Amino acid sequence: MPDQEKTAVGSQQELIIGQELKLADKLAVQRTVLAADRTMLAGVRTSMSFIGFGFTIFTILRYLQEHASVKLMRAQTPRNFGLLMLAAGTIPLFFMIVQYSRILKRMGKTEGVFGNPNFQMAGVILLLGIILLVSLVANIFLL
């Protein structure tokens, strides 16, 4: 019985997408897309905060460690905390991008990834996070 309901709902969605939508339905789709945009931008903002804080705290702790006359922390503490914060900003952003693209696809939006400014911004921040993560990991193996 639940399988029949799923197929009925799926075929009903296909019929709605194939038909000309009423104004109220068009506006509902637009509101859903705008809600997805807001969610995506909130995720980008949060990821930027985590990435920025992770890189900043790594730099500050490393500076304190190098210039302190007394040993304040373990040698790996700045690196570990920086990696944790960078990963906490970068990994969820990747999944946010995937979720956002699925929502847009489900809503019938066919614009390309490179034409959407939200994707562009998220991609740049994701690339920045990956570069910073790689640079910290490279420092792990160079030390």
Side-chain angles (χ1 to χ4, degrees), residues 50-126:
F50 273 100
I51 290 168
F53 183 67
F55 188 70
T56 303
I57 201 72
F58 167 73
T59 305
I60 290 171
L61 289 177
R62 189 177 64 180
Y63 177 82
L64 288 174
Q65 188 178 42
E66 290 173 356
H67 292 85
S69 58
V70 181
K71 185 177 177 182
L72 300 172
M73 63 192 98
R74 293 182 186 167
Q76 298 84 10
T77 300
R79 179 200 67 209
N80 292 343
F81 194 74
L83 277 173
L84 176 71
M85 295 302 290
L86 283 169
T90 305
I91 294 169
L93 181 60
F94 172 75
F95 290 112
M96 181 72 68
I97 291 170
V98 170
Q99 177 188 9
Y100 181 67
S101 65
R102 287 180 180 170
I103 289 172
L104 289 185
K105 187 176 179 182
R106 201 176 311 144
M107 292 292 115
K109 299 294 179 185
T110 57
E111 63 185 17
V113 172
F114 297 109
N116 188 328
N118 294 331
F119 274 119
Q120 293 170 354
M121 183 181 301
V124 168
I125 300 302
L126 182 66

Side-chain angles (χ1 to χ4, degrees), residues 14-26:
E14 291 172 10
L15 289 175
I16 291 173
I17 292 173
Q19 295 177 10
E20 184 63 30
L21 297 175
K22 297 177 190 176
L23 179 61
D25 294 334
K26 286 180 184 179

